[in-house]
Amino acid sequence: MNGHDPEGARDAPAGAGGGPREVADRLAGEGIDVVRVTYPDLVGIDRARDVLVERLPDAVEHGLAFCRAVYHTSPQGDTADVAGGLDAGMPDIRVRPDLATLVPLPWEPGVAQCLGEAYEPDRDEPCPEGPREVLRRAVERLAGLGLTAVAGPELEYYLCDPDPGSPTGWRRYGGGPGSVYSAGRKGDPDGHLLRTLRYLRDLGLGVTMGNHEFGVGQFEINLDHSEALDAADRAFRFKAAVKEIARTEGRLATFMARPFNDDGGSGFHVHLSCVDATGHNVFASGDGDGLSDVARAAVAGVLEHAPALAALLNPTVNSYKRFGPDTLAPWLIDWGLDNRSAMVRIPPERGAATRIEVRLGDASANPYLGIAGLLAAVHLGVRDKLAAPPPLEGYGYDPAKAPVLPADLPSALGALAADHALAEVLGERFVASFLAYKRDEVARFGRHVTDWEFREYGYHL
């Protein structure tokens, strides 16, 4: 991640320019007869509807009706009792296609995809639970300080082959371990990474490179930097695309935080900097270690609000099985200069490329909410001119040196509920909905009998 061109060298979307009828006619002339309108739910799952291209102008004018409870519905189809959903009779939201984001799907001929904007059903007010709207709020608050955030996401995932004989029905793709930081057929015998990189390039997501990661069947693909909302849009579409591409191969791609007991987890690292109205990187300084007072205040804001941020960046029960000493995942609330054992790492580049790398997040996080939380924390740190503690020296994971992150999801949710300053930036309605949804998830997990419990107790007790 270097430089600060918010759009990079990506091609213009297929729908850029012209009204809805002109766009529909142009798409039809290009052999596209269906537009898939996709938007993120509260936990980052892509919800969508396929619209025949001749009906696209109507969809833009009137919007597509979806039950609001989609924001409160779990991956298993359970609907949590969140204010504005079940208690209100499960009313609608209205999702309007964002034609500026139209792009053909390279693996599905005849289909183009665009993002959707969620609105209240009877007016042009954005839905406050909509993840894109939550991020916009954080962007606007940072803009009030004269700053624009630039973000570069890094995401890891595991690829799995079907295995009817395993308890989950899946096994890790690619065979033996030891292919960390490699490319080619040694760790990727079927060429999945090459196909995926080319598809994602053609989708216009600004991917830059990819490689096999530490785990068996684990891959990382990097995305170019851009302004925060665009970066989150691309990260969201990236995750959905990788899962779709895997399904075309008869495989499963999972962004679960830690899917296997004998392998590490998958991260969602965010490289973050801020520029002023002239495009100058305000994190850069010509003095000392090359970090400005603004950069240090931003780091301090992230550290100050880290317990609450964990709820957004580590949002599942499973997330906290990725943490711990010697995991290369964070465990303590600390920062360091080019130190991968710290929660916030400062990469070695300086000048225009000066940035912080927040390593807190795991791949299951909703990119919009994770980035929104970081921007809110940076806003509060810069606004209040917080001071960062001294950077970590040497290898981390010593709890005598720094506070420990929340050890489980309930603790992180409690920290988010108590962080009123962060909630005020993100929106009280959103935070209340997120907390209710996630507390329902914790309660459902607490009632579920796991395989571990039966193995531990079933025979002997």
Side-chain angles (χ1 to χ4, degrees):
M1 174 185 170
N2 48 51
H4 292 281
D5 173 14
E7 296 302 326
R10 296 186 299 279
D11 294 333
R21 176 57 60 191
E22 290 80 7
V23 170
D25 289 344
R26 183 163 66 250
L27 291 173
E30 296 169 357
I32 291 171
D33 63 345
V34 170
V35 173
R36 182 164 299 159
V37 182
T38 305
Y39 66 101
D41 72 2
L42 205 60
V43 294
I45 297 171
D46 51 309
R47 308 291 182 173
R49 184 166 294 157
D50 284 342
V51 179
L52 291 171
V53 72
E54 61 267 25
R55 297 293 184 178
L56 183 62
D58 291 337
V60 172
E61 181 178 358
H62 302 294
L64 304 170
F66 286 85
C67 178
R68 188 186 207 106
V70 72
Y71 286 130
H72 318 144
T73 302
S74 78
Q76 295 299 312
D78 302 299
T79 301
D81 188 7
V82 177
L86 293 174
D87 66 325
M90 302 179 76
D92 275 347
I93 57 172
R94 192 158 42 106
V95 175
R96 287 178 173 168
D98 180 355
L99 297 186
T101 65
L102 265 171
V103 63
L105 292 180
W107 61 85
E108 198 150 5
V111 179
Q113 182 196 68
C114 71
L115 296 173
E117 294 279 15
Y119 292 89
E120 298 291 348
D122 56 350
R123 53 192 184 274
D124 288 333
E125 180 182 339
C127 180
E129 294 149 294
R132 287 184 100 198
E133 182 60 21
V134 174
L135 178 52
R136 281 198 182 94
R137 284 177 59 93
V139 168
E140 289 168 4
R141 294 299 288 272
L142 201 56
L145 300 178
L147 300 177
T148 297
V150 177
E154 293 181 358
L155 280 152
E156 298 168 339
Y157 64 94
Y158 276 93
L159 187 67
C160 301
D161 279 322
D163 184 1
S166 77
T168 62
W170 300 96
R171 68 173 183 274
R172 280 161 284 187
Y173 159 82
S179 296
V180 59
Y181 296 159
S182 67
R185 301 302 169 118
K186 176 185 174 185
D188 183 11
D190 192 42
H192 160 83
L193 180 61
L194 287 176
R195 280 194 302 277
T196 302
L197 278 173
R198 288 165 176 153
Y199 278 144
L200 296 175
R201 174 199 62 200
D202 295 346
L203 198 58
L205 295 186
V207 297
T208 59
M209 62 193 77
N211 58 266
H212 194 287
E213 259 294 339
F214 269 86
V216 175
Q218 188 183 37
F219 297 90
E220 177 179 282
I221 294 177
N222 299 140
L223 298 169
D224 200 1
H225 67 278
S226 65
E227 291 187 10
L229 181 60
D230 179 72
D233 281 342
R234 291 184 294 112
F236 165 69
R237 298 179 88 164
F238 164 84
K239 291 177 71 174
V242 166
K243 289 183 281 189
E244 282 289 297
I245 293 165
R247 289 185 176 102
T248 69
E249 300 174 354
R251 297 187 171 104
L252 171 72
T254 180
F255 290 87
M256 183 176 170
R258 189 181 178 195
F260 304 104
N261 279 313
D262 58 347
D263 247 331
S266 291
F268 169 44
H269 298 171
V270 180
H271 292 250
L272 190 65
S273 61
C274 289
V275 298
D276 61 19
T278 69
H280 170 69
N281 184 344
V282 298
F283 281 9
S285 170
D287 300 325
D289 57 15
L291 295 179
S292 70
D293 290 342
V294 174
R296 291 178 178 277
V299 169
V302 173
L303 300 182
E304 175 77 14
H305 298 280
L309 292 175
L312 301 174
L313 284 159
N314 310 108
T316 71
V317 171
N318 174 259
S319 294
Y320 297 83
K321 297 174 182 179
R322 169 179 165 263
F323 286 169
D326 302 317
T327 60
L328 288 182
W331 188 45
L332 304 179
I333 301 172
D334 55 9
W335 73 288
L337 300 171
D338 198 14
N339 191 327
R340 282 183 169 82
S341 62
M343 189 192 83
V344 178
R345 169 181 173 256
I346 310 299
E349 295 89 351
R350 291 295 183 267
T354 306
R355 63 197 187 274
I356 67 175
E357 179 193 3
V358 182
R359 300 170 60 81
L360 174 60
D362 68 65
S364 69
N366 183 330
Y368 295 100
L369 304 185
I371 294 175
L374 292 178
L375 265 57
V378 168
H379 163 79
L380 293 168
V382 174
R383 184 197 70 182
D384 298 339
K385 298 181 180 179
L386 297 182
L392 169 70
E393 297 288 343
Y395 194 53
Y397 305 114
D398 180 357
K401 293 183 177 180
V404 180
L405 283 161
D408 51 44
L409 183 57
S411 300
L413 295 175
L416 178 60
D419 196 330
H420 302 295
L422 198 75
E424 192 275 329
V425 177
L426 298 173
E428 302 286 351
R429 170 73 178 268
F430 155 71
V431 172
S433 296
F434 184 83
L435 288 172
Y437 178 98
K438 284 295 171 179
R439 283 170 172 160
D440 176 81
E441 180 179 324
V442 170
R444 287 187 292 111
F445 178 75
R447 295 189 296 267
H448 183 75
V449 179
T450 66
D451 294 343
W452 183 93
E453 291 169 280
F454 191 86
R455 286 196 304 271
E456 187 78 2
Y457 310 126
Y459 183 79
H460 294 287
L461 301 183

